[in-house]
Amino acid sequence: MGVNKFIKSVLGALNLKEFELKSKKKSLKTLLSKLKKRRVKIYKELKKEKSVQEIEELNEKLELISLHIKNGKERLNALKKPSKKY
Amino acid sequence: MYTRILFPLLLLILAYEFWSSPNFTDISAGVAIFLFGMLSLEQGFKSFTGGLLDKILKNSTDKLYKSIGFGIVSTSIMQSSSLVSVLTISFLGAGLIGLTQGIGIIFGANLGTTTGAWLVAAYGLKVDIATYAMPMLVFGVVFIFQKSTSLKGVGYILTGLGFLFLGIHYMKEGFEAFKSSINLSTYSVGGYKGLFIFILIGVFATVVMQSSHATLVLIITALSVGQISYENALALAIGANIGTTITAIIGAMSSNIDGKRLAAAHLIFNLVTAFIAIAFIYQIIHIVDYLATNLNIAADNYTLKLAIFHTIFNTIGILVMIPFIDKLVLFLQKALTVKKSPDEVGYDNAQYLNESVLEFSQSAIAAINKETIHLYKNSFNIIAHGLNLKISAINSKLDLEEVIQNHYAKNYINVDEYYQKKIKNIYGEIIAFSTRAQAIMGPGNIEALYQLKLASRDLVESVKNTKHLQKNLVKYDQHQNKFIEREYLNIRMNLAGLLRDIHTISQTKEEDVILLLLSQIRLHTKKDDITSNGILDDLIRKHEITNEMATSLMNDTIYVYNIRTKLCNMAEVLFVESDSDLGKLEKDMQISQSEIEDILDKKE
């Protein structure tokens, strides 16, 4: 058995590839929860009295966060289906 | 003097002794094999320093007691205080640990090394360890020929242990045979005179062999066959403790100032410990006898008693020195400083790149990372001052319009002069050092190294773009044409915002904030580009600016675009930790150009 084949079989036997995938999923979930908390904070900020410029800046942040959350969720779903590559 | 006179003289003496005494040949061969074993063992442990050892060192030295504990444990496992000293100097050189932590590790290593005396005295002389040596050597060599770095490392460790055992065996045989012809114990000297003579012999032997471990094994084997007296063996052990500092001193020669301070601390600690041992030698001998009786060690078992003595006087040394560590650090920081020649004044050089960090791949990467952060700080200052902005204002909560009113100086600084003084040398050193470091790195580290080189280049190019941009910032500052003046004020304001965001990214640990700011920078790079957002066309169409002004604006827009993208890329490499959640997801979380355009289209 070649060295590469041996390493692959050990990785397979120890489920290390699965471990890497799980670690990525966990990171994505943690980041998504942080982003959601940040979005709530911005919503609360928007309810306070602000200048037009401040409101514009907060809305821009909100838009970017929502985009990250949407993309993050899509990537998480893709990770749950290992056959699909994203 | 050493290479010209002493070294040939040493070779001649050795040759004469080999010719006149075959037993001496056995003892010398034993020492040589033992030292070779230590080299092999160090080589083996170095193979593993890229991961486990480095991580343990980083996480277990944040408190003094932890660093002392680390020194004890690591030296006990690796049986080499030299390797631990060199590793500590390397990490100190890379800025991964502070001087206090470094001193703690060295203190611990001094105690950890005493376990060697215990092992040799308790097992090495009673069991025929040479029988274990041969299989270890055979398996070790088989592993060394494997391609895998880890297997090679195991091979070197096994071979190292094999040679250590074989060396001890030869020393023991040599001294036993020696006994029948000459009895060295007749040369023993009593009292304080003998103490000082044998301390000096111990120092000399350790300096020559560069291993207190080898000296101690030599002392124990000679003591076990009665070739030296117990009192003289104690003096030799004290001498070996002083002589062992030579390894740290040699290692520190190629290190930065903190490495030199650590070597000085090691020397001071071992001299103080030796002084205590000499001053209270008879009291310590009483304690050793008392402990030996309680541990059921025979009164004439001097080898184990020597091991107890070695442990006791090093423990006393640590207990005495612990309360003075902070004072020792202050003293060393005052006594050992970097002196710059008049030509070097005003010029900044690399702070973390030195030979000692090249010993281990992980410390080399850490040092380059720290140096790139050093380059970032200098670049940040030059870019801010080059735009005539105050750093305190950028980093404050002031409105950006107020920030640009806070001028750093009456006139704009000469960016090129500052580039020559604060950037060029450091950048050159990073590139040269990275090329050398690459030779000792695995594929994972090489990729990280490549990213750091790109980050350095991004910083340098940002400074150069600021230099080009500055010409027109000066030209159109308070210009009679209010339209062009406003555009250049906007450029300054947008870049002040960028610097503020980059500073926040460099300071925060909140990953969602970092991700959001990086995306915002990307969005604004596109949004504030006046060639694509229609502002420039408007100015030309309405004849509000001249053709010359329009060309200047177009060129400067490219410089602004470059500064923004390069600083954003740099921040992503330098401030997103690779083992953080954001770092693991890498580019997965970046927003794409089409997404940016969608957001901008919606706004329009």
Side-chain angles (χ1 to χ4, degrees):
Chain A
M1 188 190 279
V3 177
N4 285 338
K5 214 174 176 185
F6 173 75
I7 292 169
K8 270 183 192 171
S9 66
V10 171
L11 285 175
L14 296 174
N15 245 348
L16 287 177
K17 279 189 175 169
E18 188 68 19
F19 177 76
E20 200 179 302
L21 206 67
K22 273 184 187 167
S23 152
K24 214 170 185 180
K25 270 190 228 170
K26 199 181 159 200
S27 297
L28 203 46
K29 278 181 190 170
T30 317
L31 201 57
L32 275 173
S33 105
K34 284 178 187 170
L35 284 169
K36 282 175 188 170
K37 277 182 193 164
R38 180 73 51 193
R39 185 164 64 176
V40 173
K41 269 188 193 173
I42 295 174
Y43 273 131
K44 279 181 187 168
E45 280 287 303
L46 269 171
K47 281 179 186 167
K48 291 176 191 167
E49 215 171 292
K50 300 269 172 194
S51 67
V52 179
Q53 201 195 337
E54 281 172 326
I55 291 172
E56 209 173 286
E57 280 172 13
L58 285 172
N59 275 328
E60 189 182 276
K61 279 183 185 173
L62 207 56
E63 200 161 358
L64 285 171
I65 285 188
S66 301
L67 185 65
H68 280 306
I69 292 173
K70 188 185 131 229
N71 289 348
K73 277 181 183 170
E74 278 172 13
R75 276 165 188 133
L76 193 61
N77 286 335
L79 283 175
K80 281 176 185 168
K81 296 170 199 161
S83 55
K84 275 191 180 178
K85 280 191 175 179
Y86 59 90
Chain B
M1 187 177 138
Y2 176 74
T3 45
R4 274 189 187 176
I5 304 165
L6 286 178
F7 185 62
L9 195 68
L10 195 75
L11 292 180
L12 275 175
I13 294 169
L14 278 175
Y16 172 75
E17 291 294 339
F18 291 161
W19 174 70
S20 63
S21 163
N23 300 329
F24 184 79
T25 315
D26 273 358
I27 298 168
S28 307
V31 174
I33 293 169
F34 186 90
L35 285 173
F36 189 75
M38 288 209 60
L39 287 177
S40 185
L41 202 62
E42 286 181 10
Q43 178 75 27
F45 279 112
K46 272 185 189 175
S47 314
F48 295 102
T49 53
L52 190 66
L53 191 62
D54 298 349
K55 276 181 191 158
I56 296 171
L57 183 61
K58 265 198 254 179
N59 298 329
S60 59
T61 56
D62 52 339
K63 291 202 169 70
L64 184 65
Y65 74 89
K66 279 190 184 175
S67 40
I68 293 176
F70 178 83
I72 296 171
V73 174
S74 57
T75 314
S76 304
I77 294 170
M78 295 192 278
Q79 286 297 302
S80 167
S81 60
S82 311
L83 178 61
V84 176
S85 309
V86 174
L87 187 72
T88 310
I89 288 171
S90 165
F91 272 75
L92 197 62
L96 283 173
I97 53 168
L99 186 58
T100 313
Q101 284 84 19
I103 292 175
I105 296 172
I106 293 287
F107 283 10
N110 256 36
L111 192 57
T113 199
T114 64
T115 54
W118 281 93
L119 288 173
V120 176
Y123 302 107
L125 300 173
K126 292 192 178 101
V127 184
D128 186 13
I129 52 173
T131 50
Y132 300 107
M134 298 307 169
M136 280 183 173
L137 286 172
V138 174
F139 281 117
V141 171
V142 169
F143 281 129
I144 285 173
F145 283 114
Q146 300 308 304
K147 274 185 184 172
S148 152
T149 325
S150 308
L151 286 180
K152 263 184 204 286
V154 172
Y156 277 114
I157 291 171
L158 279 176
T159 317
L161 286 172
F163 278 128
L164 288 188
F165 289 179
L166 203 63
I168 293 170
H169 169 77
Y170 271 103
M171 281 187 244
K172 206 170 108 184
E173 296 269 300
F175 274 118
E176 264 168 11
F178 216 32
K179 202 179 174 182
S180 56
S181 51
I182 304 168
N183 189 0
L184 282 177
S185 61
T186 52
Y187 297 100
S188 66
V189 188
Y192 271 102
K193 189 183 165 192
L195 192 68
F196 286 114
I197 291 172
F198 278 85
I199 284 174
L200 285 177
I201 295 173
V203 173
F204 180 74
T206 314
V207 168
V208 170
M209 292 191 279
Q210 282 192 36
S211 163
S212 62
H213 213 62
T215 313
L216 215 62
V217 173
L218 199 62
I219 298 165
I220 291 171
T221 43
L223 183 65
S224 71
V225 292
Q227 284 284 349
I228 49 170
S229 71
Y230 173 54
E231 284 76 18
N232 291 161
L234 299 185
L236 284 168
I238 297 171
N241 234 42
I242 301 171
T244 193
T245 55
I246 191 74
T247 320
I249 291 169
I250 292 171
M253 279 176 184
S254 61
S255 177
N256 64 0
I257 191 69
D258 269 340
K260 290 183 177 73
R261 286 172 184 150
L262 185 73
H266 195 193
L267 182 66
I268 291 170
F269 171 69
N270 286 27
L271 283 175
V272 169
T273 311
F275 177 76
I276 294 167
I278 294 166
F280 300 101
I281 187 136
Y282 295 109
Q283 286 84 346
I284 298 175
I285 290 173
H286 278 303
I287 299 171
V288 171
D289 289 341
Y290 173 77
L291 285 173
T293 316
N294 281 298
L295 291 167
N296 286 331
I297 294 168
D300 59 348
N301 191 344
Y302 293 118
T303 51
L304 271 178
K305 279 186 166 182
L306 177 70
I308 299 176
F309 175 81
H310 198 214
T311 306
I312 287 179
F313 87 82
N314 272 300
T315 310
I316 293 173
I318 293 176
L319 293 176
V320 168
M321 290 297 286
I322 280 177
F324 301 104
I325 283 188
D326 289 338
K327 281 186 181 159
L328 181 65
V329 170
L330 279 178
F331 164 74
L332 291 168
Q333 279 168 344
K334 273 188 187 172
L336 297 172
T337 49
V338 185
K339 281 174 191 150
K340 281 189 171 182
S341 69
D343 290 345
E344 288 173 329
V345 174
Y347 282 81
D348 202 359
N349 288 314
Q351 288 175 354
Y352 305 98
L353 310 179
N354 49 69
E355 293 297 314
S356 70
V357 303
L358 278 175
E359 289 275 343
F360 307 98
S361 59
Q362 207 67 16
S363 45
I365 274 283
I368 295 166
N369 192 59
K370 286 233 169 194
E371 204 57 65
T372 315
I373 291 176
H374 178 204
L375 184 71
Y376 153 76
K377 285 177 182 165
N378 285 2
S379 306
F380 187 93
N381 289 353
I382 296 172
I383 295 170
H385 295 159
L387 299 170
N388 212 357
L389 299 167
K390 269 188 189 165
I391 289 167
S392 57
I394 293 172
N395 300 341
S396 70
K397 287 189 173 174
L398 278 179
D399 202 70
L400 286 176
E401 281 186 15
E402 285 176 67
V403 173
I404 59 167
Q405 300 307 325
N406 265 299
H407 288 181
Y408 169 69
K410 201 176 171 188
N411 297 315
Y412 279 73
I413 64 155
N414 183 343
V415 175
D416 200 39
E417 187 191 327
Y418 279 88
Y419 169 78
Q420 298 292 335
K421 284 183 173 177
K422 307 279 181 191
I423 302 287
K424 205 177 173 189
N425 285 352
I426 302 173
Y427 180 54
E429 285 178 67
I430 289 175
I431 297 302
F433 192 83
S434 303
T435 312
R436 293 175 62 205
Q438 209 164 322
I440 59 159
M441 286 177 182
N445 281 335
I446 286 179
E447 175 56 28
L449 186 69
Y450 174 68
Q451 292 298 328
L452 284 172
K453 279 203 275 187
L454 287 185
S456 300
R457 196 183 68 185
D458 285 338
L459 284 166
V460 170
E461 288 185 3
S462 302
V463 173
K464 285 186 176 173
N465 279 295
T466 308
K467 185 185 105 177
H468 298 310
L469 177 67
Q470 199 195 46
K471 282 178 205 160
N472 287 327
L473 279 178
V474 176
K475 190 175 172 183
Y476 296 118
D477 190 16
Q478 293 178 346
H479 197 268
Q480 55 200 24
N481 182 326
K482 293 297 156 195
F483 297 102
I484 193 78
E485 187 196 3
R486 190 194 63 209
E487 286 314 315
Y488 277 93
L489 276 178
N490 279 342
I491 287 177
R492 277 184 73 225
M493 194 162 69
N494 291 339
L495 288 177
L498 168 77
L499 291 176
R500 182 176 276 178
D501 289 344
I502 296 285
H503 175 74
T504 312
I505 292 171
S506 75
Q507 298 297 308
T508 187
K509 292 276 168 208
E510 291 178 74
E511 291 172 298
D512 52 322
V513 174
I514 295 178
L515 182 64
L516 186 60
L517 284 174
L518 287 172
S519 300
Q520 256 183 310
I521 293 172
R522 287 199 179 93
L523 180 72
H524 283 244
T525 303
K526 183 82 184 161
K527 191 177 142 189
D528 299 334
D529 183 355
I530 58 163
T531 48
S532 63
N533 65 13
I535 289 179
L536 186 64
D537 288 345
D538 258 10
L539 289 168
I540 296 170
R541 204 179 301 120
K542 291 176 185 167
H543 301 288
E544 287 170 342
I545 56 172
T546 63
N547 289 349
E548 188 202 342
M549 287 173 187
T551 323
S552 298
L553 257 182
M554 275 185 80
N555 290 336
D556 290 336
T557 307
I558 297 168
Y559 297 136
V560 173
Y561 179 86
N562 286 343
I563 294 170
R564 295 191 77 98
T565 46
K566 285 177 194 305
L567 286 185
C568 184
N569 292 341
M570 174 281 304
E572 210 169 18
V573 174
L574 223 51
F575 305 123
V576 178
E577 287 176 20
S578 58
D579 54 354
S580 66
D581 290 322
L582 189 56
K584 279 179 202 161
L585 298 166
E586 298 168 351
K587 308 277 175 193
D588 285 2
M589 294 305 286
Q590 261 187 26
I591 53 168
S592 65
Q593 275 304 314
S594 62
E595 284 170 332
I596 288 173
E597 273 159 24
D598 283 347
I599 294 175
L600 293 175
D601 285 346
K602 265 191 229 168
K603 285 193 175 179
E604 278 170 17

